[in-house]
């Protein structure tokens, strides 16, 4: 980490305002950036290893998971990001971000990369094509005041979780009833859906609180 980045991290620690990066290679970066800002943290676009070094946590946005995985290699971020996750950096992935954080991915390209951030098996595009996108209300562990309105767009499903993974939300009804769509393992959170597009900031607030608590 260079001296400027280190000074920024020290300043954030003193003020209690975490610097939360948003992986800005592809996908709905702007929406996550705005949500983090509204939650009282400092959002930072991350495209380079030096920028990753300068943040306390990272959001991996929705988008196209295989494209993002290729760009992680192009921008020389894949191994630095895996290392930060191994070292305990908090992270939150939505939709494609959930796929990237998985330890195993089904129905993906053989050359796609993932980050091993959560011990889980994820299936890409599990609900079908773009025309099969839908919304539903979810009971979300830790957010007890009201259900979370969840938007699913070519979303993944969690097929398996390891013993250290907490299930936060499942589909309440219909053909996918009981299927897992939100999880947490330690400092790493992932959702199949897009909380950044609804205006409900509670999932982002939960993540910011997790970063502060760390």
């Amino acid at each position: 980490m260079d001296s400027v980045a280190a000074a920024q991290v020290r300043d954030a620690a003193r003020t209690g305002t975490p610097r939360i990066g948003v992986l800005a290679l592809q996908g709905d970066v702007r929406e996550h950036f705005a949500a983090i800002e509204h939650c009282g943290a400092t959002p930072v676009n991350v495209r380079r290893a030096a920028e990753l070094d300068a943040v306390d946590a990272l959001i991996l946005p929705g988008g196209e998971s295989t494209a993002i995985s290729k760009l992680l290699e192009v921008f020389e971020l894949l191994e630095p990001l895996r290392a930060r996750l191994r070292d305990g950096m908090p992270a939150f992935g939505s939709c494609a971000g959930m796929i990237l954080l998985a330890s195993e991915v089904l129905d993906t390209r053989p050359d796609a990369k993932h980050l091993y951030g959560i011990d889980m098996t994820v299936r890409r595009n599990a609900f079908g094509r773009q025309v099969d996108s839908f919304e539903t209300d979810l009971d979300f562990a830790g957010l007890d005041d009201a259900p979370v309105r969840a938007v699913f767009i070519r979303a993944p499903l969690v097929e398996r979780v390891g013993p250290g993974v907490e299930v936060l939300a499942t589909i309440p009804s219909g053909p996918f009833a009981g299927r897992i769509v939100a999880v947490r393992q330690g400092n790493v959170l992932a959702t199949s859906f897009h909380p950044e597009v609804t205006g409900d900031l509670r999932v982002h607030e939960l993540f910011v609180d997790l970063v502060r608590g760390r």
Side-chain angles (χ1 to χ4, degrees):
M1 183 184 297
D2 62 32
S3 59
V4 173
Q8 290 171 333
V9 171
R10 288 195 298 271
D11 288 343
R14 284 196 297 269
T15 62
T17 304
R19 289 170 55 85
I20 297 182
V22 181
L23 186 65
L25 301 180
Q26 191 265 347
D28 47 353
V29 175
R30 180 169 55 185
E31 293 85 352
H32 279 293
F33 197 97
I36 287 300
E37 196 167 36
H38 280 298
C39 291
T42 300
V44 180
N45 283 329
V46 171
R47 298 185 184 90
R48 302 290 182 185
E51 295 164 339
L52 177 64
D53 287 342
V55 298
D56 303 301
L58 185 71
I59 289 179
L60 296 93
E64 213 296 311
S65 60
T66 53
I68 297 173
S69 76
K70 288 183 178 180
L71 290 168
L72 284 172
E73 291 188 291
V74 170
F75 284 81
E76 299 181 341
L77 273 170
L78 182 64
E79 292 307 324
L81 181 47
R82 283 174 172 169
R84 287 292 313 267
L85 289 168
R86 285 195 300 268
D87 290 342
M89 179 186 68
F92 167 39
S94 65
C95 197
M98 168 184 267
I99 296 168
L100 290 164
L101 286 170
S103 56
E104 181 183 21
V105 182
L106 306 177
D107 296 337
T108 193
R109 292 168 53 105
D111 59 344
K113 309 296 183 183
H114 43 280
L115 299 168
Y116 306 97
I118 296 178
D119 181 11
M120 63 179 174
T121 301
V122 169
R123 186 177 301 277
R124 290 179 71 246
N125 299 336
F127 296 98
R129 298 177 179 272
Q130 190 87 9
V131 296
D132 299 308
S133 300
F134 68 99
E135 299 182 22
T136 191
D137 290 328
L138 302 176
D139 291 327
F140 196 105
L143 304 178
D144 299 329
D145 48 337
V148 170
R149 188 66 177 175
V151 177
F152 293 87
I153 305 170
R154 295 184 66 194
L157 272 175
V158 179
E159 299 281 6
R160 177 200 63 85
V161 296
V165 179
E166 177 186 4
V167 174
L168 300 178
T170 60
I171 297 288
S173 61
F176 294 97
R179 304 300 292 276
I180 301 169
V181 292
V183 295
R184 175 182 174 181
Q185 183 172 13
N187 292 322
V188 185
L189 176 71
T191 63
S192 298
F193 55 92
H194 293 265
E196 72 279 6
V197 303
T198 64
D200 184 344
L201 298 177
R202 288 178 296 157
V203 175
H204 287 85
E205 289 170 349
L206 181 70
F207 181 60
V208 172
D209 288 345
L210 184 157
V211 177
R212 289 194 174 109
R214 176 178 181 256

